[in-house]
Amino acid sequence: LHLTPKLVKNLSTKLQWQQPTAVQKTIIPLALNGRDLMVQSVTGSGKTGAFAVPLIDRLLLRGKFKSTTCLIISPTRELAQQIFQVFNQMIQQMQISVALIIGGSNDFHSQQLLLQSEPDILIATPGRLIDHITNSAINLSSIEVLVLDEADKLLELGFMKELQAIVNQLPTARQTMLFSATLNSNVEDLAQLSLQKPLRVCVDDVKVNQNIQQQFVFVKDNSFIYKFSCLYHVLQQNSGVKTIIFACNKHQVNQLSLHLQAKDFDCYKMSSELSQQQRSRVLNEFNEDPAGVMISTDLASRGLDIDDVQLIIQLNVPDFDDYIHRVGRTGRYQAEGLAITFGTREEVKNLVEKLKKQVTMKELQLDAKLIQGYVQEFDSKEFRLQLRELNQQLKQEEELKLTDEKLKKFDSGFDKKEKRSWFLNQKERKAVQQVVKMTDSGQLNKQKAQSILKQKQIRAEMLKNKGKDKPKKSEAHAQIRKIKNQVKKMKREGEYTGRDAKLDARKIK
């Protein structure tokens, strides 16, 4: 691919990449030529490397440039963090800077300072980037390359308006690369908005990885207890295997987690009710656990590069596209994997009909007597009592964690999200940033810093509210002139003299 030696060295030593994947082999030369690209490729095909490698190679050849030139938009915080980690490994011992701007991390001020340093590469989620465009002095006028990763997911999450606003902030003379697992009409609309005469590249059709063995389980009873009994049986058959279980919603995630913990499984939960800090911790811990079990909503179905997942279990039959993304969490980089899906005969029949041209899907036979025994155990009063006690214990632990987090927030000063509401202008922002810098450097203690910031907040709120309920300047002047004329007239006619006139004159002044 004729890449710079520094980059090739980091790819092989830091990331252990020896050969480019099909998408990387196709896209990297085209990206290096500066073409606008619209790329369709299946999940797990190495798309991050396909745009990261040419961006870094371009920066190395050009040298240091004091502005942000590359912008990468990602649909989720987790995927953005993963892209950030890949870039950090690639740019070790290089004079290239990368910044991550995502929501949920409660560090808006730190991100503002990071943006002011104008890093070479900016990785962001749409919502937080719009937040900074609105409230910060962010400069996107030097962007030369825009990457829209997982474009179909971006649109599925409802970010079309945000993407339009972001694109409007960028120079028209730029290179844009759009990556998507599917190219539907919405993606076509986004391409028309952001790309100029793009080269369309379909590296792979949307299909199931052939390294993944597909199996299904017919569920005769759609009740939770019956499905959980089948799940427990499957996990017992595949003990010691790194597993992701996809649930329908966050309620089912919590329910499954509670039941599995009651049976001494160490579980990791992933759903929208977790904070960004909690999600990051869960992903890190699960990545390091060689035999962990993670229960997730579709939050973990896209883009996340989790090592060595051998088993995927789906408690429901999703639509075809979601099925492709879910099972794509295993069998990555030519490894073998197993995907087991629970469903009724009708649901499984429709899925098999769509998959039959690509892969053979086989029924997984479970021991009916054993399942019935599990159903009786999990539906017993003793087990329900055990669940109730465990649930209370877990709630207490969660409350302690939340209390600890609140204390940490209190110790670290005021809530950074709150500060944004009283930023009036650039001058106010700089003043607050100066206080934060002085606190970090030890020139101010936290108590003094909070006092200064509180005074600035009060003053800012006064400035903000000043004159809200008063008449406009021109109207006020007209009223004063009218009163003065009346006073003069009354004085001439002898009706307005003495102490009352002086008091009213003071009021007018």
Side-chain angles (χ1 to χ4, degrees), residues 2-18 53 56-57 60 89-94:
H2 306 291
L3 303 172
T4 51
K6 270 187 181 180
L7 179 55
V8 173
K9 183 182 177 181
N10 282 356
L11 292 176
S12 58
T13 58
K14 308 298 181 185
L15 289 163
Q16 308 299 318
W17 292 0
Q18 304 304 326
V53 169
I56 294 172
D57 193 71
L60 285 172
Q89 289 176 296
M90 285 188 185
I91 64 171
Q92 286 187 27
Q93 298 179 336
M94 298 178 187

Side-chain angles (χ1 to χ4, degrees), residues 139-184:
N139 180 19
L140 299 177
S141 62
S142 299
I143 295 295
E144 297 176 2
V145 184
L146 170 66
V147 177
L148 299 172
D149 192 25
E150 298 280 1
D152 51 349
K153 187 67 175 179
L154 280 166
L155 297 173
E156 184 185 316
L157 293 172
F159 285 126
M160 187 61 175
K161 287 184 179 178
E162 287 83 351
L163 292 172
Q164 285 176 335
I166 292 166
V167 169
N168 289 338
Q169 296 287 322
L170 306 180
T172 53
R174 65 172 190 276
Q175 179 187 15
T176 304
M177 292 183 278
L178 182 151
F179 291 82
S180 183
T182 55
L183 295 180
N184 53 37

